[in-house]
């Protein structure tokens, strides 16, 4: 009797039948979740994302190898010399592809997953890749060959990732599919870790809003609290969407991250998305050890931790040009650090707690006044609640600009609207829709409305091309001069400036009809309540006590 053919697992069978990235993400998440066991949540995150990264670098290497073989064949390279050229490391690194040694390639790992200790094989693969690629030194996790890792389930996960069709789906390159899987896992890990998840992940709709407003087409982009690198990834996506894949290199990325594991996630995230970024040789505290001391950025995009009390404060720090931030709250330390990094026409988008718009504690009111008087604040956006699953603290967006004059927009082909001495206020608290019971997201229409309003106010090329002009909208947006802001005591809460939304007047007859209808419905409910009360009393009376 011939040997019986091995049947695929349910998860493998599902992968064979899917064609969308979203389905691949869901199946892989379900399979990976089986490995959680006794593993620490932060370690588990690094564990799974490390596997996805390993698959990516191996796939990219194989893709380049096949392309190189085709090029060499067309050049007439003989078979006996082909192997030599295919193992030329420069042919890979010169095309921004990581060199993957033979025993670190996914084909090798998949072939040996069931025959030995798969954890040992994976740790060795990570080590070899880091040795072959100096930019990855200390980045990849070597945590697979541990007592708390179920080697059998790990081998099953390797099989599943092997079978996943990361290319040929939705007409997207493998890099895009894997990038989406990585982002999907980051979001899921943030939700699973709750409050701690906010340390490495910013909701994608919030990131998209900052990027859509700033329009970072080219130049230096900086994030002093970069987490897993989401701001950089979205900036690259923005450029690809508007100018094509070939323009992703038009931005230079600079970042810093305090947490070692998160710094590793960010390095892997940028690599998976094909972004060359300078996240410094190692992690570090932005206040105590600025890794980019001489940087002047065109764009700063950040979601720093809210209201942190224990931070490295030095009263003599030259960054505190507008006032020394209080020891008990770093919000204004973050703002002034970012301002110190802006170039002559630099702009910034920063997520902060709502309290930053009105706080008077520890001299914050005086610092805010100094920022306004220096004409650095361009726009304030009040955000809806429940955007951040990881915190219940209400948030707002600060948009800063070093130059609000006609020539202050980088890359602008025509003069922008002169907005010196003015601030745009946007109240977006009623926007967004619930993705589930606990998390709200900003829709594409919401993002377009907020970003479009800012561009129309600023007179950017994108607004001019669309024929958009700015006008105050009661209840939503208002442009206020510095005198008006001064009259409000330098409080920057948009609700103070935009007023109430206009309500359409109803004629008296329509109002009377509505009152009559609602009154009738109320009396019907009263009658129904009396009937239910009577029924309950009858049933209670039949119960023997």
């Amino acid at each position: 009797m011939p040997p019986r053919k091995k049947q695929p697992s349910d998860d493998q069978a599902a992968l064979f039948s899917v064609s969308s990235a979203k389905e691949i993400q869901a199946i892989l998440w379900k399979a990976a979740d089986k490995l959680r066991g006794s593993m620490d949540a932060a370690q588990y995150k690094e564990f799974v994302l490390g596997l996805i990264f390993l698959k990516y670098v191996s796939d990219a290497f194989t893709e380049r190898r096949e392309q190189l073989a085709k090029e060499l064949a067309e050049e007439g390279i003989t078979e006996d010399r082909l192997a030599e050229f295919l193992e030329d490391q420069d042919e890979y690194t010169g095309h921004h592809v990581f060199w993957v040694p033979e025993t670190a390639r996914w084909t090798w790992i998949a072939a040996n997953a069931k025959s030995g200790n798969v954890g040992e094989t994976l740790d060795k693969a990570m080590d070899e890749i880091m040795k072959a690629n100096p930019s990855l030194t200390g980045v990849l996790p070597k945590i697979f060959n541990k007592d708390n890792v179920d080697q059998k389930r790990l081998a099953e996960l390797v099989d599943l990732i092997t079978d996943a069709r990361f290319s040929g789906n939705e007409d997207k390159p493998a890099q895009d599919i894997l990038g989406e899987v990585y982002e999907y896992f980051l979001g899921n890990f943030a939700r699973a870790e709750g409050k701690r998840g906010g340390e490495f992940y910013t909701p994608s709709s919030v990131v998209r809003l900052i990027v859509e407003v700033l329009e970072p087409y080219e130049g230096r982009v900086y994030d002093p609290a970069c987490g897993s690198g989401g701001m950089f990834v979205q900036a690259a996506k923005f450029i690809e969407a508007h100018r094509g894949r070939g323009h992703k290199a038009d931005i230079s990325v600079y970042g810093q991250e305090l947490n070692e594991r998160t710094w590793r996630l960010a390095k892997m995230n940028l690599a998976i998305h094909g972004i060359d970024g300078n996240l410094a040789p190692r992690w570090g505290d932005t206040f105590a050890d600025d890794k980019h001391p001489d940087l002047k950025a065109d764009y700063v995009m950040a979601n720093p931790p809210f209201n942190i009390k224990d931070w490295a404060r030095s009263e003599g720090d030259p960054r505190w040009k507008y006032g020394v931030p209080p020891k008990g709250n770093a919000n204004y330390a973050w703002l002034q650090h970012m301002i110190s990094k802006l170039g002559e026409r630099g702009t910034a988008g920063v997520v902060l707690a709502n309290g930053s718009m009105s706080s008077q504690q520890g001299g914050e009111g005086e610092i805010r006044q100094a920022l306004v008087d220096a004409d650095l604040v361009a726009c304030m956006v009040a955000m809806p609640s429940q955007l951040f699953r990881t915190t219940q603290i209400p948030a707002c967006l600060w948009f800063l600009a070093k130059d609000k004059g006609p020539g202050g927009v980088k890359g602008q082909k025509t003069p922008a609207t002169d907005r010196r001495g003015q601030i745009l206020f946007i109240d977006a608290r009623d926007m967004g829709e619930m993705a589930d019971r606990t998390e709200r997201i900003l829709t594409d229409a919401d993002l377009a409305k907020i970003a479009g309003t800012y561009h129309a106010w600023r007179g950017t090329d994108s607004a001019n091309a669309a024929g958009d002009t700015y006008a105050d909208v009661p209840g939503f947006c208002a442009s206020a001069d510095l005198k008006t802001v001064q009259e409000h005591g330098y409080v920057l809460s948009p609700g103070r400036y935009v007023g109430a939304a206009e309500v359409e007047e109803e004629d008296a007859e329509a109002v009377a009809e509505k009152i009559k209808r609602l009154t009738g419905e109320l009396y019907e409910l009263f009658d129904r309540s009396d009937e239910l009360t009577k029924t309950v009393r009858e049933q209670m009376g039949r119960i023997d006590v």
Side-chain angles (χ1 to χ4, degrees):
M1 180 181 291
R4 186 176 178 183
K5 186 176 180 180
K6 178 185 173 184
Q7 295 297 311
S9 68
D10 291 341
D11 288 330
Q12 286 173 317
L15 279 171
F16 293 150
S17 64
V18 302
S19 59
S20 75
K22 288 185 178 179
E23 289 173 300
I24 290 176
Q25 293 163 7
I27 294 167
L28 286 178
W29 174 262
K30 178 183 175 183
D33 203 39
K34 296 176 183 177
L35 277 165
R36 187 182 295 272
S38 60
M39 198 178 295
D40 171 76
Q43 183 188 31
Y44 174 66
K45 172 174 76 259
E46 196 174 15
F47 180 98
V48 175
L49 292 174
L51 275 181
I52 294 174
F53 180 80
L54 184 59
K55 179 69 161 75
Y56 160 69
V57 294
S58 185
D59 280 5
F61 177 86
T62 300
E63 188 175 61
R64 171 58 189 156
R65 188 181 181 87
E66 292 172 352
Q67 180 187 24
L68 179 59
K70 184 179 178 181
E71 293 172 357
L72 293 171
E74 291 174 353
E75 293 175 10
I77 300 297
T78 58
E79 193 71 27
D80 59 323
R81 297 189 61 202
L82 186 62
E84 177 187 344
F85 281 99
L86 289 177
E87 293 298 315
D88 183 351
Q89 192 166 338
D90 291 339
E91 290 287 355
Y92 298 84
T93 56
H95 288 76
H96 304 287
V97 173
F98 291 110
W99 173 257
V100 182
E102 184 175 359
T103 54
R105 297 169 193 171
W106 197 267
T107 50
W108 173 278
I109 293 167
N112 290 274
K114 296 289 180 64
S115 61
N117 187 328
V118 64
E120 185 178 349
T121 301
L122 289 168
D123 278 352
K124 182 180 178 182
M126 296 291 186
D127 196 42
E128 289 182 346
I129 289 174
M130 286 191 287
K131 287 178 180 177
N133 301 276
S135 65
L136 294 177
T137 300
V139 173
L140 304 186
K142 296 183 353 182
I143 53 177
F144 300 93
N145 191 29
K146 292 182 177 291
D147 292 339
N148 65 337
V149 177
D150 185 327
Q151 295 296 314
K152 182 176 180 295
R153 287 186 174 178
L154 177 57
E156 291 173 357
L157 182 56
V158 168
D159 275 352
L160 194 63
I161 293 176
T162 301
D163 292 329
R165 294 181 292 149
F166 287 112
S167 59
N169 294 279
E170 300 177 347
D171 297 321
K172 292 183 179 179
Q175 183 184 70
D176 288 358
I177 298 294
L178 278 163
E180 290 177 16
V181 170
Y182 195 92
E183 291 173 52
Y184 173 83
F185 273 49
L186 280 173
N188 274 16
F189 282 125
R191 296 182 185 96
E193 292 188 31
K195 185 177 180 180
R196 286 193 62 194
E199 295 177 3
F200 65 86
Y201 184 78
T202 304
S204 61
S205 65
V206 177
V207 178
R208 284 184 59 197
L209 178 56
I210 293 174
V211 172
E212 291 290 338
V213 168
L214 294 184
E215 296 187 311
Y217 286 113
E218 58 185 23
R220 296 175 295 276
V221 179
Y222 174 61
D223 184 346
C226 69
S228 55
M231 295 287 183
F232 303 135
V233 170
Q234 191 56 50
K237 287 184 177 181
F238 173 84
I239 294 172
E240 288 183 358
H242 290 82
R243 294 189 174 175
R245 297 181 69 88
H247 289 271
K248 188 161 55 176
D250 290 350
I251 58 171
S252 300
V253 165
Y254 299 84
Q256 182 161 347
E257 171 53 40
L258 173 63
N259 183 279
E260 176 186 353
R261 280 178 169 167
T262 304
W263 175 81
R264 289 175 176 166
L265 293 182
K267 295 273 282 187
M268 289 191 285
N269 197 12
L270 295 192
I272 275 183
H273 286 88
I275 300 171
D276 292 328
N278 181 351
L279 303 188
R282 60 184 286 121
W283 55 97
D285 186 326
T286 302
F287 295 129
D289 181 20
D290 182 2
K291 299 294 186 182
H292 306 285
D294 301 318
L295 176 67
K296 289 299 178 182
D298 299 295
Y299 308 95
V300 176
M301 304 184 291
N303 174 26
F306 295 172
N307 304 326
I308 56 173
K309 295 178 173 57
D310 185 18
W311 63 283
R313 178 178 180 265
S314 172
E315 292 194 9
D317 196 309
R319 288 174 289 188
W320 315 148
K321 182 178 178 181
Y322 303 95
V324 180
K327 186 176 182 179
N329 195 314
N331 287 344
Y332 279 86
W334 285 115
L335 284 173
Q336 292 193 79
H337 170 79
M338 295 176 207
I339 290 169
S340 76
K341 295 297 184 185
L342 291 177
E344 292 181 0
R345 292 183 296 167
T347 53
V350 188
V351 186
L352 283 178
N354 269 3
S356 64
M357 298 188 290
S358 58
S359 172
Q360 300 293 338
Q361 297 178 352
E364 288 183 331
E366 288 80 3
I367 299 174
R368 185 170 56 254
Q369 176 177 337
L371 297 181
V372 171
D373 288 343
D375 210 11
L376 289 165
V377 182
C379 176
M380 299 296 301
V381 182
M383 303 289 278
S385 62
Q386 294 180 276
L387 282 178
F388 297 84
R389 189 188 294 262
T390 56
T391 178
Q392 295 302 311
I393 300 175
C396 63
L397 291 182
W398 288 66
F399 288 100
L400 309 169
K402 288 294 288 290
D403 183 355
K404 292 193 284 186
V409 180
K410 183 176 176 61
Q412 183 87 353
K413 295 178 181 177
T414 58
T417 304
D418 190 346
R419 291 297 182 181
R420 285 174 290 189
Q422 300 174 60
I423 299 175
L424 174 64
F425 293 93
I426 297 177
D427 191 341
R429 288 176 294 178
D430 293 332
M431 301 182 81
E433 61 181 31
M434 298 303 293
D436 54 37
R437 291 186 303 106
T438 59
E439 185 176 12
R440 182 183 300 274
I441 61 170
L442 295 171
T443 65
D444 289 346
D446 295 331
L447 298 176
K449 182 177 181 180
I450 298 170
T453 299
Y454 177 82
H455 295 151
W457 177 81
R458 194 65 183 92
T460 63
D461 285 340
S462 57
N464 295 334
D468 295 336
T469 55
Y470 176 79
D472 288 352
V473 178
F476 176 64
C477 64
S479 183
D481 58 25
L482 296 188
K483 181 180 179 182
T484 303
V485 176
Q486 291 164 1
E487 291 171 354
H488 282 277
Y490 292 92
V491 171
L492 300 181
S493 305
R496 291 199 173 206
Y497 302 90
V498 303
E502 293 182 351
V503 180
E504 292 185 9
E505 294 185 5
E506 298 181 88
D507 58 57
E509 185 175 351
V511 172
E513 285 295 323
K514 184 178 289 186
I515 293 174
K516 182 179 179 182
R517 175 176 59 80
L518 293 174
T519 302
E521 291 176 359
L522 183 60
Y523 283 135
E524 288 179 10
L525 291 173
F526 285 156
D527 293 340
R528 180 62 176 156
S529 176
D530 290 340
E531 291 175 9
L532 290 172
T533 301
K534 182 179 178 182
T535 301
V536 170
R537 288 182 180 278
E538 290 175 353
Q539 296 297 325
M540 292 292 291
R542 295 175 183 174
I543 298 175
D544 293 330
V545 181

